[in-house]
Amino acid sequence: MERRILHADFNGFYASVACLLNPAIRERPVAVAGDPAARHGIILAKNEIAKRYGVQTGEVLWQARQKCPGLVTVAPDFPSYHRFSELGREIYAAYSDRVEGFGLDENWIDVTGSTRDFQDAERMAQTIRRRVRAELGITVSIGVADNKVFAKLGSDMRKPDAVTVVSPGNYRETAWKLPVGDLLYVGRATEAKLRRFGITTIGELARAPVGFLRGQFGKIGPMLSDFANGRDRSEVMRISDTRRVKSVSNGVTTPRDLISDADVRLTVAMLSESVAARLRALGLRARTVQLSVRDQALNTINRQCRLEKPTCLTTELAGSAMALFTAAYDWRLPVRSLTVGTADLVDGEFPEQLSLFADEARRRRLEQAERAVDGIRSRFGYHAIGRALFLTDRSIGRLNPQQENTVHPVGFLHGGIGGGEQ
């Protein structure tokens, strides 16, 4: 059966919401950026006016201001982004029970069951586009395809406020001429490696021998070939499934570079404490700990390990994350940012096998103590109580990761592809 999948992507989402909430800046070049004093001075989003000056997502503020001296910068407002994200999903849910988020501003919508053909799907996409503009006051670009990869590619091709069809009948003309870096999960490192072999477009990747790609990229090689040829068969998840929490993580760019294991241990403890508190609040425990390390040159290392027992304890999460760091990082460069995450989550009431060799009574006391801290902070604020370790470096120890956290998109693949970035 031929599928019909939409990919809806809010245009300049953070900046669009900022301009909607503050009419005084709507006609000016606007960018949403972090606080330079806290080393978060990166452009997170820009409106169309700023885009015309060449302002780019991911560049530092001083570079953006050189291009656009009149640039208006606003701080991120994540509660508003979450609210508009949910409002968008409510509109999409009127057309399908399969709506899968990819970060706050992007969603796949499987409309196979509610459309007759691609023309019908395109008409539905146009209707959704007009509803978003009229009801939310921001715009969306939508791609229409028979698979998730090409649907996302379509939404990126024409911005803002547009619908693009990448169908089985036209994908060679529409998709294959595009740069290979436009394909989902072909990031800078993967693109650079492909270019060394003379593969610069999606079409050239599609025509490359699968054996060659497997030899150069391992198991990722055949998947890249499938993506370029539109052979992605992954399903769009049902709304009821996407509501389930699959991972909990916190990341932070530290106020200064981390230069020692002691610096990292402090930051990992702070992030693990936040993740553990959020797990307890959700009534969950984690069976896998994940660590992401970004160095001064913005190179990233990702590692994970399986725990012996599901946990929501700070000490156990931090101990595992620190072990991952020690095994993976060689200190050639200082560390700029860290993320501690958890996956393979189970219900907090899930039965577990007690061990004869672990101090189960001590684990229960630790959890009771951490829940008591949760209660104090909920009444008197995050900084009402804290670990003595956090006093060793107030620039890091005074951060509040529960509020000043990095929001990451949900991965399209469980493991992702090396070098991919959004």
Side-chain angles (χ1 to χ4, degrees):
M1 180 181 180
E2 183 180 73
R3 299 192 300 167
R4 292 171 292 279
I5 295 173
L6 313 182
H7 182 269
D9 184 0
F10 288 131
N11 302 133
F13 181 46
Y14 295 177
S16 295
V17 172
C19 291
L20 179 70
L21 298 179
N22 184 2
I25 63 174
R26 289 180 186 174
E27 303 304 320
R28 301 174 63 184
V30 175
V32 176
D35 179 9
R39 300 205 318 155
H40 298 164
I42 301 295
I43 302 295
L44 302 177
K46 71 282 183 189
N47 67 355
E48 288 298 316
I49 302 173
K51 187 176 181 180
R52 291 198 289 269
Y53 283 89
V55 175
Q56 298 180 2
T57 300
E59 70 182 350
V60 295
L61 265 175
W62 68 264
Q63 291 175 320
R65 286 184 172 134
Q66 281 186 335
K67 299 175 182 177
C68 182
L71 185 68
V72 176
T73 59
V74 296
D77 180 3
F78 286 108
S80 292
Y81 306 150
H82 282 283
R83 179 164 61 90
F84 276 86
S85 179
E86 286 301 313
L87 290 171
R89 290 192 179 114
E90 288 177 10
I91 292 176
Y92 307 148
Y95 300 90
S96 175
D97 66 342
R98 290 185 177 271
V99 178
E100 179 181 346
F102 190 59
L104 289 176
D105 55 342
E106 303 180 43
N107 287 269
W108 282 287
I109 313 158
D110 189 333
V111 297
T112 305
S114 52
T115 57
R116 295 184 299 275
D117 51 31
F118 266 88
Q119 285 186 328
D120 199 21
E122 183 180 6
R123 285 192 291 269
M124 181 174 288
Q126 294 285 9
T127 299
I128 293 172
R129 179 186 63 82
R130 289 190 291 268
R131 279 194 62 183
V132 168
R133 185 175 56 189
E135 297 177 24
L136 303 188
I138 59 178
T139 62
V140 65
S141 289
I142 302 177
V144 185
D146 70 339
N147 64 83
K148 293 166 74 174
V149 172
F150 278 178
K152 175 167 172 52
L153 191 68
S155 70
D156 290 335
M157 288 173 66
R158 294 174 58 209
K159 293 179 180 292
D161 200 20
V163 171
T164 303
V165 177
V166 184
S167 69
N170 75 0
Y171 72 90
R172 289 179 176 86
E173 294 77 27
T174 56
W176 278 13
K177 64 184 179 183
L178 298 175
V180 69
D182 288 356
L183 194 65
L184 183 67
Y185 276 109
V186 176
R188 287 192 296 267
T190 304
E191 182 181 14
K193 188 171 182 179
L194 288 168
R195 285 184 177 277
R196 289 200 294 270
F197 299 119
I199 298 174
T200 61
T201 67
I202 294 174
E204 289 169 345
L205 175 60
R207 291 187 289 267
V210 175
F212 167 77
L213 294 173
R214 182 183 290 109
Q216 297 299 325
F217 296 94
K219 64 181 181 180
I220 301 303
M223 184 162 53
L224 291 173
S225 178
D226 285 342
F227 280 11
N229 282 285
R231 291 195 292 261
D232 165 48
R233 302 309 299 169
S234 57
E235 293 187 352
V236 178
M237 297 172 63
R238 294 186 183 277
I239 295 173
S240 57
D241 293 333
T242 60
R243 297 295 183 184
R244 300 171 189 164
V245 177
K246 297 176 178 60
S247 64
V248 174
S249 65
N250 247 150
V252 65
T253 298
T254 51
R256 63 170 179 80
D257 286 338
L258 309 181
I259 58 174
S260 67
D261 282 0
D263 285 347
V264 173
R265 187 172 290 106
L266 167 60
T267 309
V268 163
M270 175 189 64
L271 294 171
S272 297
E273 186 178 74
S274 171
V275 170
R278 291 164 62 192
L279 287 171
R280 291 190 294 272
L282 293 166
L284 298 171
R285 298 176 190 272
R287 292 184 290 200
T288 296
V289 172
Q290 302 165 327
L291 180 72
S292 180
V293 184
R294 178 166 288 188
D295 66 21
Q296 194 179 54
L298 303 184
N299 301 308
T300 302
I301 297 174
N302 297 299
R303 295 291 186 271
Q304 66 178 34
C305 67
R306 183 87 169 182
L307 300 173
E308 290 185 10
K309 304 184 70 170
T311 188
C312 60
L313 293 176
T314 298
T315 51
E316 294 179 351
L317 297 179
S320 297
M322 195 63 204
L324 289 171
F325 178 86
T326 303
Y329 203 70
D330 58 12
W331 282 115
R332 293 184 185 180
L333 289 171
V335 172
R336 178 180 174 84
S337 64
L338 288 169
T339 298
V340 174
T342 55
D344 297 329
L345 306 183
V346 297
D347 189 279
E349 302 302 319
F350 187 82
E352 62 177 275
Q353 179 67 48
L354 299 180
S355 171
L356 294 174
F357 306 101
D359 190 343
E360 298 294 345
R362 180 176 180 274
R363 291 184 84 230
R364 287 195 295 273
R365 289 195 299 272
L366 284 174
E367 184 171 340
Q368 290 170 354
E370 294 198 13
R371 289 187 184 277
V373 171
D374 296 341
I376 293 171
R377 285 176 168 167
S378 68
R379 291 187 62 191
F380 303 108
Y382 179 81
H383 293 297
I385 187 171
R387 296 172 186 268
L389 174 65
F390 298 163
L391 299 176
T392 61
D393 188 320
R394 290 184 178 274
S395 66
I396 298 172
R398 290 294 294 177
L399 294 175
N400 180 357
Q402 289 185 340
Q403 294 179 0
E404 304 159 1
N405 61 82
T406 302
V407 178
H408 303 281
V410 178
F412 175 69
L413 303 167
H414 289 299
I417 294 179
E421 59 272 327
Q422 294 301 316

